[in-house]
Amino acid sequence: MPNPLYDTLFGCHAGKTTPFLYLADGTAMTHAAFLATAARIAHALTKAGLEPGDRLAAQVEKSPEALALYAACVQAGIVFLPLNTAYTTDELTYFIENSGARMVVCDAAGEAALAPIAERLGATLKTLNADGGGTLTDKADAHPEAFPTTPREPGDLAAFLYTSGTTGRSKGAMLTQDNLLSNALTLRDHWRFTADDVLLHALPIFHTHGLFVATNVTLASGGAMIFLPKFDLDQMIALMPKATAMMGVPTFYTRLLEDPRFTRELATHMRLFVSGSAPLLAETHIQFERRTGHRILERYGMTETNMNTSNPYDGERRAGTVGFPLPGVELKITDQANGDTLPEGEVGQIEVRGPNVFKGYWQMPEKTAAELREDGFFITGDLGKIDEDGYLHIVGRNKDLIISGGYNIYPKEIELVLDDQPGVLESAVIGVPHADFGETVLGLIVPEPGATPDLDAIAEATRTALARFKHPRKLLVIDSLPRNTMGKVQKNILRDTYREMFTPATT
Ligand code: MCA
Ligand code: AMP
């Protein structure tokens, strides 16, 4: 009985002693060793009582074992729910509760804080540390290195990824086996990945970019990854000559360009640089080509859809655009008012349909209905236009979203915390340009009449409630928020007023 995602990405490498992961300590892990680790973990999961369709929430550091946990879930038919390592206990509680996770895997350092929550919610708690040890893998070592793969249908769920919303409540995007598999195969072919490729992997593996794009594409091609715990400029420079491809958020590219050691020679062995998750400035694209002779290939995707469009591999990679719809993906620009398709060149909302588009938001039928049309088109919330040559330009967002260093931040979530603080009447959180992160978070606070809010105490409250990357880099007290005649806060005016606050970057 088949399990298409496991069979195509993992099972096909059974018995291969080819390198899969090159690690920062100079060692390598073969495909066979990786699969054996995954199989042992799959045994540990099923022994702990997990069944196909159960959710497993993992907040773990990047390591071969963390990746093997993903493979184990796919092999055992368990829905994998990776979580940003920066999330606070408050944030984690929501994800565990909302997803109904039956197992939570965390670093030993987080165990004490999560234990009462896991117990209250009836989830088993296991640990997996950055060095691969922990209660999950210690037990797993005793298990056989083969696991009978659980059969799955293409429409069965493979993963949940949480994405925030304009109301501040995160939504669990349900991704099926086929969503992940179809996209991995399309990207592999489109970007010409083969078993000869070595991908320089410095992205986190708890988001689409690092897990379902970079990793799945490498697995689908039989290639290898230089698997770094995180982006570290010195390591990137030292290891790039051993790689053939890199995928990164724009911050990776601006940081590389700032370093004089990053030269044309360093990139001669590379055949492809891919950028996504946030807009790549045309200026960065041009500077990169001047320095290296390579044109970065920019693509566009979302948690709910994986990848939708890509610049061409062979044709012109056009700066400031995200290219064309991928094979199998339909894309249209529509009128926000009535959903009608707009003529070429006009700006409207971007809608996509294809095998990559998710199944809906977990237990949120109204939110699903609001964004996923009955005919299968997903309303992305991005605004764009298609130029006369067919390239898609993303010109803005129809959603209140900040993207900082490739991480999405929904202002509403932060405003809810700020509004709750003593002396605060109301607040507005905006994204302002930042040289390193692209955008960063600015919090504007309107005090209650006669009150003087304690900004240090407010900053402390955000630290407890929200992951570090969401913290406002600065809090400012202002008299009032600009509003339109409907009473809606005019964030565009605030963004214009404060646009130079962090440029050039000082924080
Ligand atoms: C770290 N910090 C951040 C960010 N990252 N603050 C805001 N935005 C961030 N992205 C905090 C750190 O906790 C630290 O706080 C301070 O900022 C400076 O950290 P630094 O050492 O400079 O950062 P870093 O550790 O080098 O990380 C920067 C990074 C990283 C390499 C850009 O954020 C990263 O790997 N981003 C990739 C995100 C990603 O994979 N996105 C894909 C989502 P303190 O000073 O207090 O300690 S998937 C997606 O969007 C869709 C589907 C798609 O199309 O791909
Ligand atoms: P996420 O919630 O992580 O799925 O983020 C998806 C959002 O990131 C998209 O809706 C876009 O707003 C943005 N995004 C992803 N890739 C690009 C890109 N190449 N250019 C501009 N925005 C992008």
Side-chain angles (χ1 to χ4, degrees):
M1 286 279 277
N3 174 325
L5 188 61
Y6 183 81
D7 300 345
T8 316
L9 295 190
F10 302 101
C12 60
H13 304 304
K16 282 194 205 161
T17 53
T18 39
F20 172 45
L21 301 176
Y22 293 106
L23 304 172
D25 65 5
T27 62
M29 189 181 224
T30 63
H31 282 99
F34 177 79
L35 293 186
T37 307
R40 289 197 180 104
I41 296 177
H43 279 291
L45 300 180
T46 51
K47 283 267 169 350
L50 291 198
E51 290 178 4
D54 283 345
R55 272 81 56 209
L56 179 148
Q59 189 193 37
V60 289
E61 294 296 335
K62 185 175 172 184
S63 69
E65 291 76 12
L67 198 60
L69 177 58
Y70 159 56
C73 287
V74 176
Q75 190 168 20
I78 293 161
V79 181
F80 186 57
L81 160 49
L83 293 163
N84 194 320
T85 47
Y87 287 148
T88 63
T89 309
D90 285 3
E91 289 167 317
L92 291 175
T93 306
Y94 172 79
F95 297 127
I96 298 167
E97 185 158 18
N98 183 267
S99 65
R102 285 206 54 208
M103 184 183 279
V104 179
V105 183
C106 69
D107 192 280
E111 192 180 10
L114 282 181
I117 295 152
E119 193 181 336
R120 175 168 68 80
L121 299 173
T124 308
L125 185 63
K126 298 273 182 196
T127 59
L128 177 60
N129 305 324
D131 65 1
T135 55
L136 180 71
T137 41
D138 294 348
K139 277 245 168 63
D141 284 347
H143 295 304
E145 58 176 49
F147 178 86
T149 303
T150 303
R152 293 274 89 184
E153 297 290 333
D156 283 337
L157 295 185
F160 268 23
L161 283 189
Y162 274 83
T163 160
S164 288
T166 41
T167 58
R169 276 191 72 207
S170 286
K171 304 167 282 184
M174 299 188 287
L175 295 156
T176 66
Q177 282 233 333
D178 194 46
N179 292 151
L180 303 184
L181 185 54
S182 63
N183 216 234
L185 298 178
T186 300
L187 295 175
R188 175 196 66 186
D189 296 344
H190 207 68
W191 296 341
R192 311 272 173 83
F193 271 81
T194 71
D196 293 332
D197 273 303
V198 178
L199 181 85
L200 188 52
H201 193 303
L203 288 160
I205 53 168
F206 43 70
H207 278 311
T208 298
H209 198 163
L211 191 61
F212 302 142
V213 183
T215 302
N216 283 359
V217 165
T218 307
L219 283 162
S221 66
M225 298 193 277
I226 300 174
F227 201 61
L228 302 177
K230 61 176 292 230
F231 181 90
D232 175 281
L233 201 45
D234 291 339
Q235 280 183 328
M236 298 298 280
I237 292 196
L239 295 167
M240 192 168 289
K242 296 184 164 50
T244 63
M246 185 187 108
M247 295 186 196
V249 296
T251 302
F252 284 21
Y253 292 99
T254 50
R255 286 187 181 182
L256 282 169
L257 283 170
E258 268 164 31
D259 195 308
R261 293 173 296 168
F262 181 60
T263 57
R264 185 175 284 255
E265 292 68 49
L266 202 79
T268 44
H269 189 240
M270 296 289 282
R271 69 166 184 88
L272 181 63
F273 289 93
V274 178
S275 177
S277 307
L280 182 78
L281 294 178
E283 186 190 313
T284 310
H285 193 281
I286 292 160
Q287 231 189 317
F288 198 88
E289 185 177 12
R290 271 201 209 117
R291 179 87 68 91
T292 64
H294 285 279
R295 278 196 169 206
I296 299 171
L297 184 154
E298 188 173 5
R299 60 37 170 202
Y300 158 61
M302 288 187 74
T303 301
E304 289 91 334
T305 63
N306 279 21
M307 298 305 102
N308 295 312
T309 73
S310 169
N311 266 282
Y313 188 84
D314 287 326
E316 186 195 348
R317 298 177 194 166
R318 201 170 277 187
T321 82
V322 291
F324 309 105
L326 285 162
V329 177
E330 293 170 80
L331 187 145
K332 59 184 184 179
I333 304 294
T334 62
D335 186 330
Q336 210 183 314
N338 53 24
D340 289 349
T341 302
L342 291 170
E344 184 190 282
E346 284 196 21
V347 173
Q349 54 187 10
I350 302 172
E351 297 193 28
V352 293
R353 177 165 72 180
N356 54 317
V357 174
F358 77 141
K359 208 169 176 168
Y361 296 114
W362 171 248
Q363 293 183 336
M364 290 187 180
E366 324 75 46
K367 301 234 184 246
T368 303
E371 293 176 40
L372 191 56
R373 296 188 192 277
E374 269 177 20
D375 64 4
F377 270 98
F378 176 65
I379 306 165
T380 61
D382 291 310
L383 299 174
K385 66 167 188 190
I386 295 174
D387 69 20
E388 63 285 3
D389 297 321
Y391 287 82
L392 176 67
H393 299 238
I394 299 178
V395 299
R397 297 177 201 135
N398 204 6
K399 49 192 173 191
D400 194 13
L401 164 69
I402 300 167
I403 306 185
S404 165
Y407 285 143
N408 286 9
I409 300 168
Y410 281 84
K412 188 77 197 168
E413 207 183 340
I414 306 165
E415 287 160 2
L416 288 173
V417 175
L418 298 181
D419 291 348
D420 242 11
Q421 304 310 311
V424 175
L425 178 68
E426 60 177 354
S427 65
V429 168
I430 55 169
V432 288
H434 188 277
D436 186 31
F437 289 137
E439 282 183 288
T440 196
V441 182
L442 177 66
L444 301 162
I445 286 173
V446 179
E448 280 170 353
T452 310
D454 178 345
L455 295 187
D456 291 338
I458 295 177
E460 184 53 37
T462 64
R463 279 195 276 279
T464 317
L466 303 166
R468 170 73 185 101
F469 67 89
K470 300 177 190 170
H471 298 173
R473 292 279 147 162
K474 202 171 179 56
L475 288 170
L476 286 181
V477 174
I478 58 172
D479 291 341
S480 62
L481 299 176
R483 290 183 187 278
N484 65 14
T485 48
M486 309 290 286
K488 193 167 182 282
V489 177
Q490 291 170 301
K491 289 201 169 175
N492 53 332
I493 294 183
L494 293 172
R495 281 191 287 264
D496 281 349
T497 308
Y498 297 103
R499 65 176 303 107
E500 283 172 12
M501 185 123 236
F502 295 99
T503 42
T506 50
T507 50

